[in-house]
Amino acid sequence: MSSIAPPSRILVGILFMVTAGLLFPVMGGFAKLLGQDYSSLQISWARAFGHILFLSALFMPRMGLALFRTKRPGLQLARSSMLFTSNLCFFYAIAFIPLAKAAAISLAAPLIVALLAWPMLKERTTWGRVIALLIGFVGVLVVIRPGTALFHWASLFILTSATAYGVYQILTRLIASSDSPETSALYSAFVGGFGMLVVLPFVWLTPASLLDVGLFIGVGVLGALGHYCVARAFGYAPANIISPFQYFQLLGSVAVGWLLFTEFPDSMTWLGAAIICGAGLYIGWSQTRRRPA
Protein backbone atom coordinates (compact mmCIF):
# COMPACT_ATOMS: atom_id res chain seq x y z
CA MET A 1 0.00 0.00 0.00
CA SER A 2 1.34 3.41 -0.90
CA SER A 3 2.29 5.69 1.98
CA ILE A 4 1.69 8.80 -0.09
CA ALA A 5 -1.26 10.82 1.17
CA PRO A 6 -4.13 11.41 -1.31
CA PRO A 7 -4.02 14.83 -3.03
CA SER A 8 -7.22 15.91 -1.26
CA ARG A 9 -5.70 15.28 2.17
CA ILE A 10 -2.49 17.05 1.20
CA LEU A 11 -4.50 20.09 0.10
CA VAL A 12 -6.36 20.13 3.43
CA GLY A 13 -3.02 19.96 5.26
CA ILE A 14 -1.65 22.87 3.24
CA LEU A 15 -4.78 24.90 3.97
CA PHE A 16 -4.35 24.27 7.71
CA MET A 17 -0.72 25.44 7.58
CA VAL A 18 -1.61 28.52 5.53
CA THR A 19 -4.38 29.30 8.02
CA ALA A 20 -1.83 29.13 10.84
CA GLY A 21 0.34 31.48 8.81
CA LEU A 22 -2.50 33.99 8.92
CA LEU A 23 -3.52 33.48 12.55
CA PHE A 24 -0.04 33.94 14.07
CA PRO A 25 0.60 37.34 12.41
CA VAL A 26 -2.81 38.61 13.53
CA MET A 27 -1.97 37.44 17.06
CA GLY A 28 1.31 39.32 16.76
CA GLY A 29 -0.54 42.42 15.59
CA PHE A 30 -2.86 42.27 18.60
CA ALA A 31 0.13 41.82 20.92
CA LYS A 32 1.91 44.80 19.35
CA LEU A 33 -1.19 46.96 19.86
CA LEU A 34 -1.42 45.86 23.49
CA GLY A 35 2.32 46.41 23.96
CA GLN A 36 1.79 50.15 23.60
CA ASP A 37 0.07 50.23 27.01
CA TYR A 38 0.58 46.90 28.79
CA SER A 39 3.54 44.86 30.05
CA SER A 40 4.80 42.06 27.80
CA LEU A 41 4.52 39.81 30.88
CA GLN A 42 0.78 40.46 31.10
CA ILE A 43 0.37 39.90 27.36
CA SER A 44 2.33 36.64 27.55
CA TRP A 45 0.14 35.46 30.42
CA ALA A 46 -3.02 36.24 28.44
CA ARG A 47 -1.59 34.37 25.46
CA ALA A 48 -0.86 31.27 27.56
CA PHE A 49 -3.94 31.28 29.80
CA GLY A 50 -6.28 31.84 26.86
CA HIS A 51 -4.54 28.94 25.12
CA ILE A 52 -5.21 26.65 28.10
CA LEU A 53 -8.88 27.64 28.42
CA PHE A 54 -9.55 27.29 24.69
CA LEU A 55 -7.91 23.87 24.29
CA SER A 56 -9.47 22.57 27.52
CA ALA A 57 -12.92 23.51 26.21
CA LEU A 58 -12.06 21.92 22.85
CA PHE A 59 -10.63 18.59 24.03
CA MET A 60 -12.05 17.82 27.49
CA PRO A 61 -15.55 16.85 26.28
CA ARG A 62 -13.92 14.04 24.29
CA MET A 63 -10.90 13.11 26.44
CA GLY A 64 -11.92 14.06 29.97
CA LEU A 65 -9.15 14.05 32.59
CA ALA A 66 -7.01 11.88 30.31
CA LEU A 67 -6.12 15.15 28.59
CA PHE A 68 -3.95 16.05 31.59
CA ARG A 69 -2.11 12.71 31.91
CA THR A 70 1.51 12.84 30.83
CA LYS A 71 4.20 10.18 31.04
CA ARG A 72 7.01 12.76 31.06
CA PRO A 73 5.98 15.78 33.13
CA GLY A 74 9.53 17.14 33.37
CA LEU A 75 9.94 17.23 29.61
CA GLN A 76 6.50 18.80 29.21
CA LEU A 77 7.44 21.59 31.62
CA ALA A 78 10.71 22.11 29.75
CA ARG A 79 8.75 22.43 26.49
CA SER A 80 6.36 24.85 28.10
CA SER A 81 9.23 26.95 29.46
CA MET A 82 10.76 27.22 25.99
CA LEU A 83 7.46 28.28 24.40
CA PHE A 84 6.86 30.83 27.14
CA THR A 85 10.38 32.24 26.68
CA SER A 86 9.81 32.43 22.93
CA ASN A 87 6.48 34.25 23.28
CA LEU A 88 7.74 36.63 25.97
CA CYS A 89 10.80 37.68 23.96
CA PHE A 90 8.73 38.09 20.80
CA PHE A 91 6.00 40.16 22.42
CA TYR A 92 8.57 42.37 24.13
CA ALA A 93 10.55 42.99 20.94
CA ILE A 94 7.66 43.81 18.59
CA ALA A 95 6.93 46.89 20.68
CA PHE A 96 10.15 48.31 19.16
CA ILE A 97 10.57 46.79 15.69
CA PRO A 98 8.20 46.14 12.74
CA LEU A 99 6.24 42.89 12.62
CA ALA A 100 7.65 41.90 9.23
CA LYS A 101 11.25 42.28 10.42
CA ALA A 102 10.43 40.24 13.53
CA ALA A 103 8.80 37.55 11.38
CA ALA A 104 11.84 37.43 9.08
CA ILE A 105 14.20 36.87 12.00
CA SER A 106 11.81 34.27 13.44
CA LEU A 107 12.26 32.24 10.26
CA ALA A 108 15.58 31.19 11.80
CA ALA A 109 13.69 28.72 14.05
CA PRO A 110 13.84 25.84 11.50
CA LEU A 111 17.58 26.50 11.17
CA ILE A 112 17.91 26.21 14.95
CA VAL A 113 16.08 22.88 14.79
CA ALA A 114 18.46 21.62 12.11
CA LEU A 115 21.45 22.82 14.15
CA LEU A 116 20.30 21.08 17.34
CA ALA A 117 18.97 17.90 15.74
CA TRP A 118 22.41 16.22 15.82
CA PRO A 119 23.36 16.80 19.50
CA MET A 120 19.81 16.47 20.88
CA LEU A 121 18.14 13.94 18.56
CA LYS A 122 21.26 12.15 17.26
CA GLU A 123 20.15 12.84 13.70
CA ARG A 124 22.98 12.63 11.19
CA THR A 125 23.79 15.68 9.11
CA THR A 126 25.70 16.42 5.92
CA TRP A 127 28.14 19.06 4.77
CA GLY A 128 25.42 20.41 2.48
CA ARG A 129 23.14 21.05 5.44
CA VAL A 130 25.98 22.62 7.44
CA ILE A 131 26.68 25.02 4.57
CA ALA A 132 22.95 25.77 4.27
CA LEU A 133 22.85 26.54 7.99
CA LEU A 134 25.72 29.00 7.65
CA ILE A 135 24.04 30.66 4.66
CA GLY A 136 20.77 30.86 6.60
CA PHE A 137 22.43 32.63 9.50
CA VAL A 138 24.03 35.04 7.02
CA GLY A 139 20.45 35.84 6.01
CA VAL A 140 19.63 36.55 9.66
CA LEU A 141 22.56 38.99 9.81
CA VAL A 142 21.30 40.69 6.65
CA VAL A 143 17.96 41.32 8.37
CA ILE A 144 19.44 42.39 11.73
CA ARG A 145 22.40 44.32 10.26
CA PRO A 146 24.57 44.48 13.40
CA GLY A 147 27.08 47.32 13.49
CA THR A 148 24.98 49.62 11.30
CA ALA A 149 22.69 52.53 12.12
CA LEU A 150 19.70 50.32 11.20
CA PHE A 151 20.50 47.73 13.90
CA HIS A 152 18.02 47.61 16.78
CA TRP A 153 18.83 45.77 20.01
CA ALA A 154 15.28 44.33 20.11
CA SER A 155 16.25 42.15 17.14
CA LEU A 156 18.35 40.08 19.56
CA PHE A 157 15.20 39.28 21.54
CA ILE A 158 13.57 37.96 18.35
CA LEU A 159 16.63 35.81 17.73
CA THR A 160 16.35 34.52 21.31
CA SER A 161 12.67 33.84 20.65
CA ALA A 162 13.52 31.84 17.52
CA THR A 163 16.16 29.85 19.40
CA ALA A 164 13.75 29.01 22.23
CA TYR A 165 11.10 28.00 19.70
CA GLY A 166 13.61 25.76 17.95
CA VAL A 167 14.42 24.00 21.23
CA TYR A 168 10.66 23.72 21.87
CA GLN A 169 10.24 21.91 18.55
CA ILE A 170 13.10 19.54 19.35
CA LEU A 171 11.55 18.70 22.74
CA THR A 172 8.19 18.21 21.02
CA ARG A 173 9.78 15.58 18.78
CA LEU A 174 11.25 13.86 21.84
CA ILE A 175 7.89 13.59 23.60
CA ALA A 176 5.77 12.74 20.54
CA SER A 177 5.96 8.99 21.21
CA SER A 178 4.99 9.35 24.89
CA ASP A 179 2.02 11.74 25.04
CA SER A 180 -0.90 12.52 22.75
CA PRO A 181 -0.75 15.66 20.57
CA GLU A 182 -3.71 17.08 22.50
CA THR A 183 -1.95 16.65 25.84
CA SER A 184 1.26 18.18 24.50
CA ALA A 185 -0.64 21.10 23.00
CA LEU A 186 -2.28 21.81 26.36
CA TYR A 187 0.89 21.49 28.44
CA SER A 188 2.82 23.78 26.10
CA ALA A 189 1.12 26.78 27.74
CA PHE A 190 1.26 25.67 31.40
CA VAL A 191 4.35 27.63 32.46
CA GLY A 192 3.06 30.84 30.95
CA GLY A 193 -0.51 30.34 32.10
CA PHE A 194 0.08 29.23 35.69
CA GLY A 195 3.70 30.10 36.46
CA MET A 196 3.08 33.73 35.55
CA LEU A 197 0.41 34.01 38.25
CA VAL A 198 3.26 34.59 40.72
CA VAL A 199 4.40 37.84 39.09
CA LEU A 200 1.13 38.88 37.44
CA PRO A 201 -0.07 41.00 40.41
CA PHE A 202 3.08 43.13 40.12
CA VAL A 203 2.60 43.94 36.43
CA TRP A 204 -1.18 43.77 36.11
CA LEU A 205 -2.97 46.71 34.53
CA THR A 206 -6.74 46.40 34.23
CA PRO A 207 -7.78 46.68 30.58
CA ALA A 208 -8.97 50.21 29.89
CA SER A 209 -11.65 49.32 27.34
CA LEU A 210 -13.68 46.48 25.88
CA LEU A 211 -11.43 46.68 22.83
CA ASP A 212 -8.41 45.89 24.99
CA VAL A 213 -10.29 43.01 26.63
CA GLY A 214 -11.06 41.67 23.15
CA LEU A 215 -7.41 41.99 22.13
CA PHE A 216 -6.27 40.07 25.22
CA ILE A 217 -8.79 37.31 24.52
CA GLY A 218 -7.80 37.31 20.85
CA VAL A 219 -4.12 36.81 21.63
CA GLY A 220 -4.92 33.61 23.55
CA VAL A 221 -7.50 32.20 21.16
CA LEU A 222 -5.54 32.98 17.99
CA GLY A 223 -2.37 31.46 19.45
CA ALA A 224 -4.21 28.28 20.43
CA LEU A 225 -5.96 28.04 17.05
CA GLY A 226 -2.68 28.58 15.23
CA HIS A 227 -0.91 25.76 17.07
CA TYR A 228 -3.95 23.51 16.59
CA CYS A 229 -3.90 24.21 12.83
CA VAL A 230 -0.20 23.33 12.69
CA ALA A 231 -0.85 20.03 14.48
CA ARG A 232 -3.76 19.22 12.14
CA ALA A 233 -1.67 20.13 9.08
CA PHE A 234 0.99 17.55 9.93
CA GLY A 235 -1.77 15.00 10.48
CA TYR A 236 -2.95 15.35 6.88
CA ALA A 237 0.29 15.37 4.91
CA PRO A 238 4.03 14.60 5.22
CA ALA A 239 6.24 17.15 6.93
CA ASN A 240 8.40 17.69 3.83
CA ILE A 241 5.32 18.89 1.91
CA ILE A 242 3.75 20.92 4.71
CA SER A 243 6.80 22.57 6.30
CA PRO A 244 7.63 25.02 3.47
CA PHE A 245 4.21 26.62 3.87
CA GLN A 246 5.19 27.87 7.34
CA TYR A 247 7.03 30.65 5.51
CA PHE A 248 3.62 31.99 4.48
CA GLN A 249 3.66 33.58 7.94
CA LEU A 250 6.09 36.20 6.63
CA LEU A 251 3.55 37.42 4.07
CA GLY A 252 0.86 37.46 6.74
CA SER A 253 3.10 39.56 8.99
CA VAL A 254 3.79 42.02 6.16
CA ALA A 255 0.05 42.39 5.55
CA VAL A 256 -0.80 42.86 9.24
CA GLY A 257 2.08 45.28 9.75
CA TRP A 258 0.97 47.37 6.79
CA LEU A 259 -2.74 47.36 7.71
CA LEU A 260 -2.36 48.08 11.43
CA PHE A 261 0.87 50.07 11.64
CA THR A 262 1.65 51.24 8.07
CA GLU A 263 4.92 49.28 8.28
CA PHE A 264 6.52 47.80 5.17
CA PRO A 265 9.84 45.91 5.09
CA ASP A 266 12.79 47.40 3.24
CA SER A 267 14.69 45.63 0.48
CA MET A 268 17.37 44.24 2.80
CA THR A 269 14.74 42.62 5.02
CA TRP A 270 13.23 40.94 1.94
CA LEU A 271 16.71 39.82 0.82
CA GLY A 272 17.57 38.39 4.23
CA ALA A 273 14.20 36.63 4.46
CA ALA A 274 14.74 35.10 1.01
CA ILE A 275 18.17 33.79 2.06
CA ILE A 276 16.74 32.30 5.28
CA CYS A 277 13.82 30.70 3.43
CA GLY A 278 16.11 29.28 0.74
CA ALA A 279 18.41 27.72 3.32
CA GLY A 280 15.47 26.30 5.27
CA LEU A 281 13.86 24.85 2.14
CA TYR A 282 17.14 23.20 1.12
CA ILE A 283 17.54 21.61 4.55
CA GLY A 284 13.95 20.36 4.44
CA TRP A 285 14.43 18.97 0.94
CA SER A 286 17.73 17.28 1.82
CA GLN A 287 16.10 15.51 4.77
CA THR A 288 13.61 13.83 2.43
CA ARG A 289 16.30 12.26 0.27
CA ARG A 290 16.96 8.57 0.82
CA ARG A 291 20.29 7.88 2.49
CA PRO A 292 22.57 5.43 0.73
CA ALA A 293 22.53 1.93 2.23
Side-chain angles (χ1 to χ4, degrees):
M1 183 180 294
S2 173
S3 61
I4 300 176
S8 59
R9 286 181 61 85
I10 291 176
L11 180 59
V12 172
I14 291 172
L15 289 175
F16 268 114
M17 184 60 79
V18 169
T19 300
L22 292 174
L23 293 173
F24 287 137
V26 176
M27 179 195 71
F30 285 4
K32 188 175 177 71
L33 287 171
L34 289 169
Q36 297 171 359
D37 300 302
Y38 301 92
S39 165
S40 56
L41 292 171
Q42 183 174 344
I43 299 169
S44 297
W45 171 81
R47 155 72 183 91
F49 199 69
H51 180 123
I52 293 170
L53 292 179
F54 180 80
L55 291 187
S56 295
L58 186 66
F59 296 133
M60 279 197 70
R62 175 168 58 91
M63 299 182 64
L65 293 179
L67 177 64
F68 299 91
R69 295 189 190 121
T70 173
K71 296 178 181 178
R72 305 183 71 179
L75 192 56
Q76 287 287 14
L77 289 178
R79 288 179 62 250
S80 186
S81 297
M82 287 298 101
L83 185 60
F84 171 69
T85 299
S86 178
N87 286 330
L88 179 60
C89 289
F90 187 86
F91 292 159
Y92 177 72
I94 59 175
F96 303 98
I97 62 176
L99 274 176
K101 184 172 184 176
I105 301 170
S106 296
L107 296 180
L111 304 180
I112 301 296
V113 173
L115 180 66
L116 297 177
W118 177 67
M120 295 185 69
L121 298 176
K122 309 303 179 185
E123 294 182 358
R124 295 175 59 187
T125 190
T126 65
W127 278 109
R129 292 177 199 165
V130 171
I131 293 172
L133 276 172
L134 294 175
I135 293 173
F137 286 116
V138 168
V140 174
L141 294 177
V142 170
V143 177
I144 296 177
R145 281 163 273 184
T148 71
L150 294 176
F151 170 74
H152 197 292
W153 54 265
S155 299
L156 300 179
F157 279 86
I158 299 295
L159 192 56
T160 302
S161 171
T163 301
Y165 191 63
V167 176
Y168 164 80
Q169 292 184 63
I170 292 286
L171 296 179
T172 298
R173 289 190 194 180
L174 287 173
I175 207 168
S177 60
S178 302
D179 291 347
S180 69
E182 293 84 357
T183 296
S184 290
L186 184 70
Y187 272 99
S188 65
F190 263 45
V191 169
F194 294 117
M196 278 295 298
L197 292 176
V198 177
V199 300
L200 191 62
F202 300 99
V203 300
W204 177 262
L205 182 63
T206 301
S209 67
L210 289 178
L211 174 60
D212 288 356
V213 172
L215 291 174
F216 274 114
I217 294 173
V219 165
V221 172
L222 290 171
L225 277 174
H227 281 286
Y228 179 67
C229 285
V230 170
R232 290 295 303 272
F234 285 107
Y236 278 101
N240 63 301
I241 296 177
I242 292 297
S243 291
F245 288 90
Q246 67 184 309
Y247 295 122
F248 189 82
Q249 186 173 337
L250 175 62
L251 299 180
S253 296
V254 171
V256 171
W258 181 70
L259 289 172
L260 294 183
F261 308 102
T262 62
E263 300 170 347
F264 198 78
D266 59 22
S267 58
M268 294 299 287
T269 298
W270 282 113
L271 175 61
I275 294 172
I276 298 168
C277 290
L281 291 173
Y282 172 80
I283 292 170
W285 170 78
S286 69
Q287 289 173 335
T288 66
R289 302 189 66 187
R290 188 183 303 275
R291 292 193 182 101

